[in-house]
Amino acid sequence: MSMDWFYDLPNLARADPEIAGLIKKELERQEYGLQMIPSENFISPALLEALGSVLTNKYAEGYPRKRYYSGFDFVDPIETIAIERAKKAFGVPHANVQPYSGSPANLAIYLAICKPGDKIMGLNLSDGGHLTHGWKTSISGMLYQSVPYHVDENGYIDMDEVKRLAHEQKPKLIWVGATAYVREFDFEAFGKIADEVGAYLIADMSHISGLILAGAHRSPVDHVHAIMTTTHKTLRGPRGAMILVTRKGLEKDPELAEKIDKAVFPGLQGGPHENQIAATAVALGEAMRPEFREYGAQVVKNAKAIASALIGRGLKLVSGGTDNHLVLVDLTPYGIGKGVFASEALEEAGVFVNKNTIPRDPASPFYPSGVRMGTPTLTTRGMKEDEMRLIGDWIADVINEVKGYELPEKEQRAEYLKKFRADIRNNEKIRETGQKVRELCSRFPFYLGRG
Ligand SMILES: *Cc1c(COP(=O)(O)O)cnc(C)c1O
């Protein structure tokens, strides 16, 4: 076992053994399972130290050299380094590193650019879009008039529809970005359309910002006015987000950077989380090193290897493959609403994926017809194509065990799921797969058992 503080938690274990014990269990779950939720990653022990530091004690409303309190000799340089690294890494003239997370960052963008009632365009939720891009249950869909666009039958964004809707509806703001989209974004085509109709084009590259920094996905910088990215996905930083303003954005509105800063604070947030900002600086430092280019390239190679392994076993993938870090398995050949069976059975085997809607999903978002899985964390652990082929095979084995389960009507669901859960706990094939998963993970230690 590792002697690292983040495993032993020496102080916490004494002060609050209940919480310490659960954190240790969670660390073991992460270490000995295959973490394939594509929005997750493992951050380095160096980042954990920054995140767990005394910086969390500091109130820092305002921006470097423009604060409301005292005591900024060390926190100002830290936030400034984070800002400068963000600007350098992405090649933009302005960065705000204070957003608490992606959803509030997107809200700050609305606040800077739109008025309530304005029209906004984003990718439809079940086509892979994010809640904050105008979905009805999100505040973005309540405050603004949402005009969703979709993917075509091959799983690519329907650019003809984007163009037609933009010209018809004249939105104030267009989002390009997604949470469950497996193809590359054509930022240039989006940029042309936004320019034709005078809309602000904002890239939400939360899922792919690490790939962009690694050169494994094209960059939106020349084509959009601003960019939002979470820092905790492929970028491999702490939970958090940043908003970047591009040269094109400053040409459209020379005050855009100030508007964004004002929207984040005082518009939406109070004191920033300086421990998180320090960890973001460290993450950006890591992402600018040459090894990160290899990392990004390997993430994509690994996702392609998983995709071919699954296709080889007869599974259907949305869009038939992937260009990035994730694949979406379409389970409708076995019936509708089967994502829950696949994801729970995989969890039983120590493989963590998420049930997900597929484009034109005939089922509801809570019982969707797909599962989404990705390779950022496995790649961080050092796994490569050989491991992906094994994992793809195991995933197919597990799905094969449960594809016959049928979601009953609402009233009978609880009972049925209870029986299903007992079945998967007693399933020999799933148990065997679980053992193989644990063995494989032990061969790729990340936090535990390195020395
Ligand atoms: C993850 C994500 C967000 C939201 O980030 P949170 O930190 O979960 O609030 C927004 N947009 C996209 C495209 C995302 O993938």
Side-chain angles (χ1 to χ4, degrees):
M1 278 296 148
S2 149
M3 292 301 287
D4 290 310
W5 64 266
F6 52 81
Y7 182 68
D8 291 327
L9 306 172
N11 297 290
L12 185 60
R14 269 194 303 277
D16 193 330
E18 192 179 10
I19 292 292
L22 288 167
I23 295 176
K24 283 189 188 197
K25 287 279 185 223
E26 169 61 13
L27 178 48
E28 287 166 8
R29 184 196 68 80
Q30 292 186 14
E31 185 81 20
Y32 298 115
L34 291 170
Q35 309 304 328
M36 296 184 72
I37 293 170
S39 46
E40 293 182 353
N41 214 328
F42 280 178
I43 63 172
S44 67
L47 261 92
L48 275 180
E49 286 176 8
L51 204 52
S53 71
V54 295
L55 292 173
T56 192
N57 297 337
K58 187 74 196 98
Y59 238 107
E61 283 170 328
Y63 290 100
R65 292 172 305 283
K66 281 170 274 181
R67 307 282 191 184
Y68 291 79
Y69 305 154
S70 59
F72 288 99
D73 286 356
F74 312 108
V75 162
D76 269 3
I78 287 172
E79 187 169 334
T80 304
I81 290 169
I83 291 168
E84 291 307 319
R85 286 185 187 170
K87 284 158 60 176
K88 181 163 175 225
F90 291 99
V92 292
H94 183 78
N96 185 311
V97 296
Q98 292 193 356
Y100 300 146
S101 216
S103 306
N106 280 350
L107 205 50
I109 289 171
Y110 285 119
L111 192 59
I113 294 175
C114 298
K115 291 197 181 53
D118 278 352
K119 276 188 188 153
I120 57 147
M121 270 176 67
L123 181 60
N124 187 45
L125 187 77
S126 67
D127 293 54
H130 194 261
L131 286 164
T132 55
H133 299 178
W135 185 246
K136 58 193 173 203
T137 56
S138 144
I139 191 165
S140 64
M142 302 174 198
L143 284 186
Y144 309 102
Q145 245 180 290
S146 172
V147 180
Y149 56 85
H150 303 83
V151 297
D152 63 21
E153 58 282 2
N154 299 318
Y156 287 79
I157 289 173
D158 182 347
M159 293 308 296
D160 293 336
E161 188 198 28
V162 173
K163 182 167 179 150
R164 180 174 57 75
L165 287 173
H167 279 267
E168 271 171 27
Q169 304 282 338
K170 302 270 183 309
K172 185 78 189 270
L173 184 160
I174 301 173
W175 291 103
V176 51
T179 137
Y181 185 64
V182 296
R183 296 302 176 188
E184 260 198 276
F185 295 100
D186 189 348
F187 296 122
E188 194 177 349
F190 269 96
K192 283 203 185 104
I193 293 169
D195 291 346
E196 282 162 16
V197 302
Y200 282 89
L201 180 64
I202 314 295
D204 180 346
M205 56 182 194
S206 295
H207 262 262
I208 55 170
S209 54
L211 302 183
I212 290 169
L213 282 190
H217 188 297
R218 54 171 88 99
S219 166
V221 165
D222 293 337
H223 308 290
V224 305
H225 301 104
I227 294 168
M228 196 290 282
T229 180
T230 52
T231 42
H232 48 281
K233 297 176 185 172
T234 51
L235 186 53
R236 214 161 64 184
R239 306 202 80 76
M242 23 192 207
I243 302 173
L244 313 170
V245 179
T246 63
R247 272 183 201 90
K248 183 174 173 179
L250 291 181
E251 275 161 28
K252 182 168 172 69
D253 179 357
E255 285 167 24
L256 188 58
E258 286 137 56
K259 286 180 185 165
I260 294 279
D261 283 354
K262 276 193 188 139
V264 172
F265 174 84
L268 200 64
Q269 299 190 168
H273 302 172
E274 294 293 345
N275 57 323
Q276 166 192 328
I277 288 170
T280 296
V282 179
L284 287 165
E286 289 181 0
M288 283 190 278
R289 286 206 271 277
E291 304 88 277
F292 200 79
R293 289 190 82 79
E294 280 163 44
Y295 169 68
Q298 190 65 48
V299 165
V300 176
K301 282 189 220 160
N302 282 354
K304 286 182 189 288
I306 289 270
S308 21
L310 295 176
I311 291 169
R313 290 287 304 269
L315 285 159
K316 183 178 176 196
L317 302 187
V318 170
S319 195
T322 182
D323 294 336
N324 57 27
H325 61 300
L326 69 90
V327 301
L328 251 177
V329 182
D330 174 354
L331 297 165
T332 53
Y334 310 120
I336 66 165
K338 297 219 171 184
V340 63
F341 301 122
S343 80
E344 289 199 17
L346 285 165
E347 175 167 6
E348 187 64 33
V351 181
F352 298 88
V353 303
N354 64 278
K355 60 184 182 182
N356 211 95
T357 49
I358 54 166
R360 290 175 276 276
D361 200 319
S364 77
F366 200 73
Y367 289 107
S369 301
V371 279
R372 185 183 74 146
M373 57 188 74
T375 53
T377 310
L378 304 187
T379 310
T380 293
R381 301 184 71 160
M383 295 181 189
K384 296 213 162 79
E385 288 95 323
D386 283 345
E387 288 76 38
M388 298 305 122
R389 282 187 276 275
L390 285 176
I391 293 166
D393 236 15
W394 299 341
I395 290 173
D397 285 344
V398 171
I399 290 178
N400 199 38
E401 292 298 303
V402 298
K403 66 185 187 203
Y405 287 88
E406 295 281 347
L407 198 65
E409 289 306 306
K410 265 205 177 86
E411 306 73 54
Q412 295 125 42
R413 268 182 202 164
E415 196 59 30
Y416 189 84
L417 283 170
K418 212 166 124 194
K419 174 164 182 311
F420 164 74
R421 284 171 191 141
D423 288 356
I424 56 177
R425 267 196 304 280
N426 297 316
N427 182 301
E428 201 47 46
K429 186 85 194 170
I430 294 175
R431 184 171 314 159
E432 253 172 49
T433 307
Q435 275 156 6
K436 292 186 214 159
V437 164
R438 227 184 138 79
E439 255 166 47
L440 178 66
C441 290
S442 308
R443 288 204 283 119
F444 291 87
F446 189 75
Y447 294 114
L448 300 177
R450 276 170 180 270

